[in-house]
Amino acid sequence: MHLSGIGMTSHRTRMRMIERLRAQGITDEVVLSVMGAIPRHLFVEEALASRAYEDVALPINYGQTISSPWMVARMSELLRANSALNKVLEIGTGCGYQTAVLARLAKLVYSIERIGPLLTKTRIRLHKLQVRNIHLKHADGLLGLPDAAPFDGIIMTAVTTHIPDTLLEQLAVGGKIVFPRGSQKQNLCIIERSSQGYAEKILEEVNFVPIISGVVKK
Ligand code: SAH
């Protein structure tokens, strides 16, 4: 694996992506420095590597997409809210880029993916990149991971019309879920849990692939 990369996958290209994210309003410098350190081109097919630092979502096979750098930065910033995270759950591992970012922002990351072969590839990739503080699970993320709960952050990288109670219950008091809500029209949404209950905030319009229940084995 070419960790450093050349030309469109070089450190300089990655730094330009960080500058762009900053100019577009990402203010959390911790998130920016983490994204500046992770070789995003190693998370897409080689044929697409030269486009890895553009601000676009790219195909990662199995009909799925790697979220754009802006989306990853924005969701990470919202989840972190300027404080270190302890235990985080990600639903929709995909190529593992967001997982790798979260692994540097939290002590421990659990990530669930429903497509078995996609997760197998991602598992190998994250192992090679020596991302260690993660647990990857092949399962239906809508059920969460009751055995590992409560989480201080949950991030969902596929769109849903609502968050099931089973997931809400796995949120620690003081924790939050960041996810895209909707169907045709989608918005980023944050649900925060306090001792009073749950409060929801609707943010900017976004575009994600849908959450699907059940798992794909082959
Ligand atoms: N963060 C990923 C996003 C991938 S797209 C990346 O940047 O690569 C969304 C992912 O969610 C897909 O891999 C899809 O298979 C997965 N997904 C959809 N429904 C799911 C579910 N119920 N449980 C777990 N993963 C799910």
Side-chain angles (χ1 to χ4, degrees), residues 48-81:
L48 289 172
S50 66
R51 304 197 58 199
Y53 296 98
E54 293 176 19
D55 204 21
V56 289
L58 295 169
I60 53 169
N61 297 327
Y62 311 99
Q64 307 305 318
T65 51
I66 176 173
S67 304
S68 72
W70 158 262
M71 214 55 261
V72 172
R74 182 74 176 128
M75 290 180 95
S76 304
E77 170 174 275
L78 290 170
L79 193 73
R80 220 178 78 84

Side-chain angles (χ1 to χ4, degrees), residues 40 60 62 64-68 72 90-99 112-115 118 139-142 157-158 208-214:
R40 185 173 156 91
I60 53 169
Y62 311 99
Q64 307 305 318
T65 51
I66 176 173
S67 304
S68 72
V72 172
E90 175 187 39
I91 299 163
T93 318
C95 70
Y97 178 70
Q98 172 83 70
T99 321
I112 312 176
E113 172 57 56
R114 66 183 288 274
I115 302 177
L118 177 58
D140 182 352
L142 285 168
T157 67
F208 281 83
V209 295
I211 195 100
I212 301 170
S213 56

Side-chain angles (χ1 to χ4, degrees), residues 92-186:
T93 318
C95 70
Y97 178 70
Q98 172 83 70
T99 321
V101 171
L102 290 172
R104 293 191 183 215
L105 299 174
K107 274 213 188 100
L108 188 57
V109 178
Y110 290 83
S111 185
I112 312 176
E113 172 57 56
R114 66 183 288 274
I115 302 177
L118 177 58
L119 187 64
T120 301
K121 277 186 148 187
T122 297
R123 199 183 284 285
I124 294 167
R125 175 181 295 126
L126 291 171
H127 182 77
K128 279 187 185 159
L129 288 169
Q130 303 188 355
V131 182
R132 301 257 187 259
N133 53 330
I134 54 171
H135 293 291
L136 304 178
K137 307 270 174 193
H138 179 217
D140 182 352
L142 285 168
L143 307 173
L145 282 177
D147 291 349
F151 300 98
D152 33 36
I154 300 179
I155 194 166
M156 190 139 132
T157 67
V159 66
T160 181
T161 49
H162 82 290
I163 299 287
D165 287 348
T166 41
L167 260 186
L168 289 175
E169 285 158 12
Q170 292 175 37
L171 203 57
V173 171
K176 59 168 93 62
I177 307 188
V178 179
F179 68 104
R181 159 170 274 175
S183 49
Q184 297 302 64
K185 185 177 172 296
Q186 310 174 9

